Amino acid sequence: QITLKESGPTLVKPTQTLTLTCTFSGFSLSTGAVGVGWIRQPPGKALEWLALVYWDDDKRYSPSRKNRLTITKDTSKNQVVLTMTNMDPVDTATYYCAHYNYASGSYYIDYWGQGTLVTVSS
Amino acid sequence: QSALTQEASVSGTVGQKVTLSCTGNNRNIGSYAVGWYQQISHGAPKTVMFGKSLPSGIPDRFSGSKSGTTASLTISGLQPEDEADYYCSTWDYSLSAQVFGGGTKLTVL
């Protein structure tokens, strides 16, 4: 049974760096053809993809956010960490981590975490 | 502005068949399978379809299809519990990134 859970601060100040941790169980990120990614959703708005790390440590970032994002994995701890620099109130959102599986020629999300709401305010 | 285009809202009555669409281009939907995600009352999303594959536990009234650069999610025999926001998503090779649609609010009348 695959589960993922996000953790981190609920409130950050503008210009600070946000660090979120996704702790997962039921799979290993050293196993082939899997990945863990981050998606966010501002209140009342659509889902926005942020970043993805694959089992082989290959990484992909949203082109519009890549200069602010870093994603890393710690296989021994079953964790994936996302950092986002220079936080702004428009970054207020629920942040989700997700498990990616490979099928039909591409990776897709099959499991989602419960999400964590991050508010950016002074 | 989302890379994939979805209807803002769709409605149907209990038992009806409804189809949600997701339009992209040759760099995304035209090249990769599409995932569909259900979000009920702003809770965590849940995967209800990938390509034509139904995840475990999802009722078989959900089905997926694709024609060219448009993907569709069809719900046959609409149920009250299907009322939710639905998002489509796929990979875009020119962006080397995952892209989402703006979401469709499905209302069950």
Side-chain angles (χ1 to χ4, degrees), chain A residues 58-76:
Chain A
D58 192 13
K59 297 165 187 176
R60 294 289 183 269
Y61 295 99
S62 164
S64 61
R65 315 277 177 214
K66 68 180 301 181
N67 61 333
R68 299 173 54 204
L69 295 172
T70 303
I71 189 169
T72 59
K73 66 181 178 75
D74 186 329
T75 304
S76 65

Side-chain angles (χ1 to χ4, degrees), chain A residues 39 41 45-49 52 54 60-63 96 100 103-114, chain B residues 2 32-33 35 37 39 42-47 49-50 53 87 90-91 95-103:
Chain A
I39 301 95
Q41 185 175 38
K45 296 189 177 181
L47 299 170
E48 177 190 4
W49 182 77
L52 169 60
Y54 297 101
R60 294 289 183 269
Y61 295 99
S62 164
Y96 297 99
Y100 284 70
S104 303
S106 63
Y107 283 84
Y108 73 101
I109 296 171
D110 53 0
Y111 295 95
W112 296 75
Q114 64 189 27
Chain B
S2 303
Y32 300 102
Y37 309 103
Q39 187 176 37
H42 305 293
K46 178 169 71 173
T47 303
M49 186 65 57
F50 180 69
S53 298
Y87 293 90
T90 189
W91 193 256
L95 297 173
S96 194
Q98 184 171 358
V99 290
F100 279 89

